[in-house]
Amino acid sequence: MNLDKVTTIDELRQIAHKRVPTMFYDYMESGSWTETTFRANCDDFKKISLRQRVAVDMANRSTKTKMLGEEVAMPLAIAPTGLTGMQHADGEILAARAAADFGIPFTLSTMSIASIEDVATHTQNPFWFQLYVMRDHDFAQRLIKRAKTAGCSALMLTLDLQILGQRHKDIKNGLTTPPKLTVKNILDMAIRPRWCMGMLGTPRRSFGNIVGHVDGVSDMTKLSSWVGEQFDLQLDWDDVARIKDWWGGKLIIKGILDPEDAQMAERSGADALIVSNHGGRQLDGAESSIAMLPEIVAAVGSDIEVWMDGGIRSGQDILKWHSVPFAFGPWAGGIWLQMLLISTCDGRHAVEAGRGSTPKPDMACTKQQTNGHACRSAAHMMEIMTEDDPGAVVAQQAVQPRG
C-alpha cells in the first residue's frame, strides 16, 4: 500500500498486520479478558454526535495549545508504550523524532526496548518518561535519576498496573521479548522479511531500561521472572508523594478512572492527571475513559490539568473530548496505537508519508465545520453516554456547554 494514500487508522492496521509478527501485532491490538472495555473506549466515542455550525469566521482557527506550560502543535501527545521497538526496529527513537517534527510531546515507557539514554542520544528535544512503581525502590530511584540526567521534562507515574491484567492473546502467543525461536515463531517471522532485517540491523532487542541496570538481571533469561515479581502490590499515595519528592519536577499521574482518585491526585500536587483504563488492557468491565471524563472533570479544580487516553482514533475524537468544560489539553492516548501502526510501516519516514492519517488535518477541518463546538453540548455528551446503560456511573449534575 502506498503510504502517501493512507488516510485512516484502519489502513495502517492492515499494513501492520502484514508486516509485524503475530505476537507483537496482537500485543498492540488487544485488551484484557473479554476485551469489553477495550472495545468500549472506541464505541463510546461513536455515540457522540457533532454540532454543525455555519457562516462563522474561522479563518484564524488553530490547533495549538499548551500542556504543562509547553506549547504544542495540537492537544495531543504520544503515550508510553512498551515493546515499541518490537513493532519496528528502534521504534521508540523513530517515534520520538516524529513527535518532535510534529511539535507534540513523546513519552518513553519503562518497558521500552530503547533505553532512556538511547532516546536522549538520538534525539534533540526533551521527552517525558513514564515510571512503573517497582518493589525495588533503589531501581526506581535510579530510573528517575537517569531520566533527570537525560533531560526529561516530565515524569509520568502509572498507577493502574499493580498487577498485570490477563491478556489472552499474549498467553496463547507465548509473548516474549525477543521472541523464542520455536518452529511456530520462526515460520511467522519468515514471512515478514522486512521486520527481520530491521531487527538484525539493531542491537536493541530487549528491555533497555532494565537489562544491565538491575542487580542479577544481566540477560533475558533472568528478566521475565524479575519483572513478574516487581510490580508493587502495596503502592499507595504515600509512595506517590515519595516519588514526587525524588523527581522534583513536573508530575503526571496516569490511570485515574474514579472521581475520588482524581481528587487524591489533585491533593498529591501532581501537575496533570490522565483519565485512563490502560487502553482496556487491565480491568476488563471498567467504564471507558470518555464515559468517566465528565464526572472526573467535575470533581477536581483548576489546579490540575485533566487529560485522557483510550479510544481516540482521529482529530474529530479530540474535538469531542473538548466538549467537556474545563478539561485541559487532552492526552490523546489513541495516538499510542496510531504511532505503533505508523512505525510498523517504515518508521519515521512512514510518519512523514502518512501525514494524511494523523489527527491534525482532520481536527482542523472539523473545527471549522463545527465552529469549534464538538458536540451539541457537554450535557448532551453525558446524556448519550447513559442512554444505553441508565445505571452507568457518570456525573448526574447539569453541565453547561461551552459558549
Side-chain angles (χ1 to χ4, degrees):
M1 181 178 289
N2 184 348
L3 294 178
D4 290 326
K5 303 297 183 181
V6 171
T7 57
T8 67
I9 289 291
D10 282 338
E11 290 173 282
L12 290 172
R13 184 182 284 110
Q14 292 168 20
I15 298 173
H17 203 185
K18 294 177 181 178
R19 296 190 178 182
V20 180
T22 300
M23 69 167 62
F24 297 122
Y25 176 83
D26 283 351
Y27 171 81
M28 168 180 64
E29 181 65 4
S30 64
S32 62
W33 295 89
T34 66
E35 300 189 342
T36 299
T37 300
F38 172 76
R39 292 189 297 271
N41 278 339
C42 288
D43 290 345
D44 284 350
F45 267 104
K46 296 175 183 177
K47 299 175 184 177
I48 302 173
S49 60
L50 297 171
R51 178 187 181 188
Q52 180 172 308
R53 299 294 305 277
V54 298
V56 177
D57 184 0
M58 293 290 287
N60 295 320
R61 72 191 188 282
S62 174
T63 61
K64 291 182 179 179
T65 187
K66 288 186 177 182
M67 301 175 73
L68 297 183
E70 300 176 21
E71 187 167 304
V72 294
M74 60 187 301
L76 185 69
I78 292 182
T81 312
L83 305 187
T84 302
M86 285 289 116
Q87 304 294 334
H88 186 286
D90 300 331
E92 292 92 356
I93 294 171
L94 299 173
R97 289 174 176 172
D101 290 344
F102 274 96
I104 61 174
F106 167 79
T107 317
L108 183 69
S109 170
T110 293
M111 307 305 293
S112 60
I113 302 302
S115 69
I116 300 170
E117 293 79 10
D118 284 333
V119 176
T121 299
H122 291 87
T123 59
Q124 295 182 341
N125 288 28
F127 55 94
W128 298 345
F129 180 68
Q130 175 268 339
L131 178 70
Y132 284 122
V133 182
M134 305 291 192
R135 291 180 180 179
D136 186 340
H137 289 175
D138 288 339
F139 172 66
Q141 279 188 285
R142 291 197 301 274
L143 271 179
I144 291 173
K145 184 176 180 180
R146 289 166 60 193
K148 285 183 179 180
T149 302
C152 293
S153 56
L155 181 72
M156 182 179 297
L157 181 60
T158 297
L159 298 185
D160 61 354
L161 207 150
Q162 290 174 262
I163 186 169
L164 188 66
Q166 189 177 105
R167 302 165 190 171
H168 293 172
K169 291 178 183 176
D170 292 349
I171 295 172
K172 293 179 185 298
N173 290 330
L175 177 67
T176 60
T177 303
K180 294 179 180 178
L181 296 180
T182 63
V183 172
K184 178 183 176 181
N185 288 342
I186 291 173
L187 292 175
D188 190 54
M189 290 185 288
I191 61 175
R192 296 171 171 88
R194 183 193 301 258
W195 183 89
C196 293
M197 292 304 294
M199 288 301 163
L200 288 173
T202 179
R204 303 176 186 91
R205 305 187 197 98
S206 63
F207 294 107
N209 289 323
I210 299 175
V211 174
H213 295 280
V214 178
D215 293 339
V217 181
S218 56
D219 56 53
M220 293 304 299
T221 60
K222 300 175 183 177
L223 176 63
S224 59
S225 60
W226 181 86
V227 171
E229 299 170 352
Q230 275 301 310
F231 291 111
D232 193 348
L233 300 179
Q234 296 181 314
L235 172 67
D236 60 22
W237 289 100
D238 289 337
D239 293 310
V240 174
R242 181 175 62 253
I243 290 168
K244 185 177 185 297
D245 288 340
W246 289 347
W247 172 245
K250 297 288 186 180
L251 179 67
I252 307 160
I253 293 181
K254 181 176 182 289
I256 301 298
L257 208 64
D258 184 272
E260 290 184 25
D261 287 337
Q263 291 170 344
M264 293 293 289
E266 183 179 31
R267 286 197 289 271
S268 76
D271 298 280
L273 68 84
I274 302 175
V275 181
S276 172
N277 53 34
H278 214 95
R281 298 161 63 78
Q282 281 297 101
L283 177 60
D284 190 39
E287 293 282 0
S288 69
S289 297
I290 191 64
M292 292 306 302
L293 182 63
E295 188 174 359
I296 290 175
V297 169
V300 299
S302 59
D303 291 335
I304 188 169
E305 296 184 24
V306 180
W307 309 338
M308 68 156 288
D309 74 7
I312 295 177
R313 297 294 182 268
S314 68
Q316 284 195 347
D317 289 339
I318 297 175
L319 284 177
K320 289 175 180 180
W321 191 101
H322 265 294
S323 68
V324 180
F326 316 118
F328 298 89
W331 170 268
I335 200 66
W336 76 265
L337 173 63
Q338 180 163 350
M339 178 271 292
L340 285 180
L341 291 171
I342 291 174
S343 72
T344 64
C345 300
D346 277 307
R348 186 185 182 190
H349 298 296
V351 175
E352 297 304 318
R355 281 181 181 270
S357 69
T358 63
K360 187 171 182 178
D362 178 21
M363 181 182 177
C365 180
T366 303
K367 188 170 184 178
Q368 177 175 355
Q369 294 172 325
T370 62
N371 188 25
H373 298 274
C375 306
R376 296 209 299 267
S377 72
H380 170 64
M381 174 179 150
M382 295 172 64
E383 175 187 333
I384 62 177
M385 285 300 168
T386 57
E387 64 183 5
D388 294 329
D389 181 10
V393 182
V394 296
Q396 297 301 315
Q397 64 269 36
V399 179
Q400 297 301 316
R402 285 180 175 176

